[in-house]
């Protein structure tokens, strides 16, 4: 670790290491810059807005290998079509003439079968488990980081026996990949979590999962590396690149031209737009979700709760109780649909006893970078020698932020990677 080396050793390490530009200041970009800085790499982070102003800000903050089952699964197309008819459902596609969207949907349909799901589930769980471990280490090592990290597990709640049966089946599938869980009847749920209403049919407890307040995690890590010499440029939007000989020569921004040996693209839902400047086609759709953060709550739940039918996540995170949910494929925009927001609030109210009526509320929306197979895109491309993609983290970008940062640092350093990165290759599309 850098702080254990002498000043002279640090300088030597840095002079041998490549200079790297990371584009995007969300959880993926900041974790990448963190592990690079820790490895003695001279890293520059470029963010078009402020650090953590994208999808990494107001999400549910779960660090959850148990959420590795891709969205594309048997039955998901039929369920999605049913949900489309309900303006308050957790899923919506805005009909629009977009070739990218049509191609993405075709790829999604191709991935929605058990054999594709089983093929990716093992690598995704492994990625999540390694990340969970890295977050636990971060929590111990970075004593100035106050991300409200807690590892007490997560309870998935089911209102009906049919949904509970589905939840138990999913838990069985995950147990084949070493994700531990425990089925709970109504009484057991109420014993563990007094904030749940007795109308639920039961739950599944995933004991190893952790959670954080994601904005505090990302901003906290950014300020740690800022103090340790990483260069962070906010309000610096990448507008183009100059390339030659199969390499990126410079990165053009609204704040001048930057050069480095290696460039990491970690621009979340904006990635297809940025990659287009490099003539790369990335199958990522912005998948909008909403959250409501309630402040000054008196009786918050003890555990993060997944309200299964409505797909709403409830997370107690330090001073805030957050309800988060909805997945809307409506393009790259931050328009808020109040009907869906209302549905998130009502779902929370239906399941938990915590009184939110007089709380101060912060409403937010963000766009997940959704790949058709829910698998992130991590690795080098065949087109440009010094470009590494770290994007497409879909529903679990916070979970996978730490491991992605570590893997990208290993790739740049030419080291053997902690996890086999072939399943996440950009070349799979
Ligand atoms: C409602 C909701 C709940 C969620 N809950 C969870 C959860 O509990 N656990 C979990 O693991 N995941 C969760 N997610 C998913 C998670 O939020 C995302 O996967 C993750 O934040 C993606 O991180 P990122 O760094 O790739 O993208 P972002 O956080 O969006 O960061 C990308 C950054 O790139 C910047 N950028 C874009 N273009 C440019 C440019 N041209 N130049 C410079 N900078 C640029 C953007 O401004 C942005 O800051 C949730 C998402 C939503 C919407």
């Amino acid at each position: 670790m850098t702080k254990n080396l002498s000043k002279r050793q640090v300088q030597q390490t840095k002079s041998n290491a490549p200079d790297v530009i990371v584009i995007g200041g969300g959880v993926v970009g900041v974790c990448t810059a963190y592990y690079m800085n820790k490895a003695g790499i001279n890293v520059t982070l470029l963010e078009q807005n402020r650090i953590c102003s994208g999808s990494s800000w107001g999400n549910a903050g779960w660090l959850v290998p148990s959420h590795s089952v891709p969205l594309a699964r048997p039955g998901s197309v039929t369920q999605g079509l049913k949900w489309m008819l309900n303006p308050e459902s957790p899923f919506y596609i805005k009909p629009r003439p977009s070739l990218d969207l049509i191609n993405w949907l075709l790829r999604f349909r191709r991935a929605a079968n058990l054999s594709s799901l089983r093929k990716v589930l093992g690598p995704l769980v492994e990625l999540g488990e390694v990340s969970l471990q890295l977050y636990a280490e971060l929590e111990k090592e970075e004593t100035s980081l106050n991300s409200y990290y807690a590892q007490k597990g997560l309870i998935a709640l089911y209102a009906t026996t049919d949904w509970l049966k589905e939840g138990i089946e999913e838990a069985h599938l995950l147990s084949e990949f070493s994700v531990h869980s425990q089925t709970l009847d109504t009484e057991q749920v109420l014993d563990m979590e007094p904030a749940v209403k007795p109308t639920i049919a039961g739950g599944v407890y995933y004991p190893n999962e952790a959670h954080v307040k994601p904005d505090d995690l990302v901003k906290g890590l950014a300020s740690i590396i800022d103090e340790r010499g990483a260069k962070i440029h906010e309000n610096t939007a990448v507008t183009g690149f100059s390339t030659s000989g199969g390499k990126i020569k410079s990165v053009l921004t609204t704040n001048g031209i930057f050069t480095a040996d290696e460039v990491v693209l970690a621009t979340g839902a904006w990635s297809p737009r940025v990659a287009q400047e490099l003539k790369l086609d990335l199958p990522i759709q912005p998948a909008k979700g909403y959250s409501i953060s309630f402040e000054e709550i008196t009786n918050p739940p003890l555990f993060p709760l997944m309200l299964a039918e409505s797909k709403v996540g409830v997370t107690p995170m330090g001073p805030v109780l957050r309800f988060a949910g909805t997945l809307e494929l409506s393009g790259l925009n931050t328009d808020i649909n109040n009907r869906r927001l209302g549905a998130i609030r009502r779902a929370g109210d239906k399941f938990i006893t915590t009184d939110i009526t007089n709380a101060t509320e912060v409403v937010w929306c963000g766009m997940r970078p959704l790949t058709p197979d829910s698998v992130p895109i991590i690795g080098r491309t065949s087109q440009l020698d010094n470009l590494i993609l770290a994007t497409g983290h879909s529903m679990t970008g916070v979970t996978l932020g730490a491991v992605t940062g570590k893997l990208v640092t290993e790739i740049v350093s030419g080291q053997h990677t902690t996890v086999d990165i072939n399943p996440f290759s950009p070349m799979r599309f």
Side-chain angles (χ1 to χ4, degrees):
M1 210 177 116
T2 307
K3 71 178 177 195
N4 293 332
L5 301 176
S6 71
K7 226 177 184 175
R8 191 149 165 229
Q9 278 172 311
V10 172
Q11 274 164 5
Q12 274 172 358
T13 321
K14 289 201 170 175
S15 63
N16 293 333
D19 286 1
V20 179
I21 289 174
V22 176
I23 311 171
V27 66
V28 174
V30 169
C31 284
T32 301
Y34 170 81
Y35 284 102
M36 294 213 171
N37 177 265
K38 194 173 173 185
I41 291 171
N42 190 9
V43 63
T44 302
L45 181 70
L46 307 178
E47 164 54 48
Q48 65 179 357
N49 204 321
R50 304 300 304 271
I51 289 293
C52 201
S53 50
S55 184
S56 301
W57 193 88
N59 58 70
W62 296 350
L63 310 177
V64 278
S66 62
H67 274 60
S68 300
V69 181
L71 277 184
R73 55 183 84 173
S76 57
V77 173
T78 319
Q79 175 69 67
L81 288 172
K82 274 192 215 151
W83 269 335
M84 284 282 288
L85 303 172
N86 174 1
E88 298 195 354
S89 77
F91 175 72
Y92 174 66
I93 303 178
K94 185 177 181 188
R96 56 195 194 280
S98 158
L99 204 57
D100 287 344
L101 176 63
I102 292 166
N103 283 333
W104 188 97
L105 288 170
L106 291 173
R107 280 179 163 135
F108 179 90
R109 202 181 60 180
R110 274 204 299 279
N113 61 76
L114 200 56
S115 99
S116 302
L117 182 151
R118 282 184 164 279
K119 204 167 135 206
V120 297
L121 193 49
L124 283 174
V125 169
E126 186 190 9
L127 207 59
E129 294 290 359
V130 173
S131 214
L132 204 54
Q133 183 64 37
L134 288 170
Y135 279 120
E137 286 167 16
L138 252 183
E139 182 60 18
K140 278 199 197 114
E141 281 178 28
E142 302 299 349
T143 47
S144 66
L145 184 66
N146 187 3
S147 62
Y148 297 98
Y149 169 91
Q151 188 169 24
K152 47 164 77 170
L154 173 144
I155 310 175
L157 298 174
Y158 302 90
T160 63
T161 42
D162 280 354
W163 276 96
L164 177 61
K165 199 168 148 249
E166 264 191 43
I168 294 172
E169 276 167 20
E170 185 164 315
H172 278 152
L173 173 67
L174 284 161
S175 71
E176 288 178 40
F177 298 88
S178 305
V179 175
H180 302 299
S181 62
Q182 188 191 337
T183 303
L184 306 172
D185 61 24
T186 310
E187 209 175 311
Q188 286 168 317
V189 172
L190 300 182
D191 279 350
M192 273 181 82
E193 178 52 84
V196 172
K197 288 186 178 164
T199 43
I200 53 130
V204 175
Y205 176 51
Y206 291 93
N208 294 335
E209 316 298 68
H211 64 281
V212 289
K213 189 161 179 286
D215 48 321
D216 286 355
L217 169 78
V218 178
K219 288 182 191 167
L221 275 183
S223 85
I224 286 173
I225 60 170
D226 186 38
E227 277 173 25
R228 294 181 188 163
K231 297 175 203 82
I232 299 181
H233 296 266
E234 294 184 304
N235 301 313
T236 302
V238 171
T239 51
F241 300 87
S242 99
T243 60
S244 86
K247 279 190 158 205
I248 297 174
K249 292 290 170 196
S250 55
V251 179
L252 319 178
T253 80
T254 48
N255 207 6
I257 296 176
F258 291 78
T259 55
D261 303 308
E262 304 265 11
V263 176
V264 181
L265 195 144
T267 42
W270 291 264
S271 298
R273 185 183 276 184
V274 182
Q276 217 169 38
E277 299 294 327
L278 293 163
K279 304 195 175 41
L280 297 177
D281 183 20
L282 296 182
I284 291 176
Q285 281 294 316
K288 197 192 290 172
Y290 303 103
S291 71
I292 314 170
S293 301
F294 302 96
E295 292 165 7
E296 299 141 38
I297 287 288
T298 40
N299 281 320
L302 304 172
F303 291 87
L305 304 170
M306 171 77 198
L307 316 180
E309 288 87 337
S310 52
K311 307 278 177 230
V312 169
V314 172
T315 319
M317 37 175 88
V320 162
L321 176 67
R322 183 168 293 162
F323 293 1
T326 291
L327 194 147
E328 227 183 77
L329 300 183
S330 56
L332 200 60
N333 67 75
T334 49
D335 303 341
I336 289 192
N337 177 328
N338 281 317
R339 239 178 132 169
R340 283 179 202 282
L341 202 63
I344 291 174
R345 184 196 311 269
R346 279 192 296 283
D349 244 0
K350 185 176 159 194
F351 278 90
I352 63 168
T353 54
T354 306
D355 184 13
I356 51 166
T357 38
N358 294 322
T360 312
E361 293 180 14
V362 178
V363 166
W364 170 87
C365 80
M367 293 170 287
R368 309 167 183 91
L370 194 64
T371 56
D373 53 7
S374 302
V375 176
I377 303 173
I378 307 170
R380 291 195 186 273
T381 67
S382 55
Q383 294 92 331
L384 291 154
D385 291 346
N386 62 344
L387 173 69
I388 296 152
L389 301 179
T391 183
H393 288 75
S394 304
M395 316 288 287
T396 52
V398 185
T399 305
L400 303 179
V403 70
T404 303
K406 184 148 175 45
L407 289 173
V408 173
T409 303
E410 289 167 345
I411 296 170
V412 161
S413 311
Q415 288 170 8
H416 184 74
T417 52
T418 305
V419 171
D420 173 17
I421 55 169
N422 282 317
F424 318 113
S425 166
M427 267 85 96
R428 72 180 184 274
F429 296 111

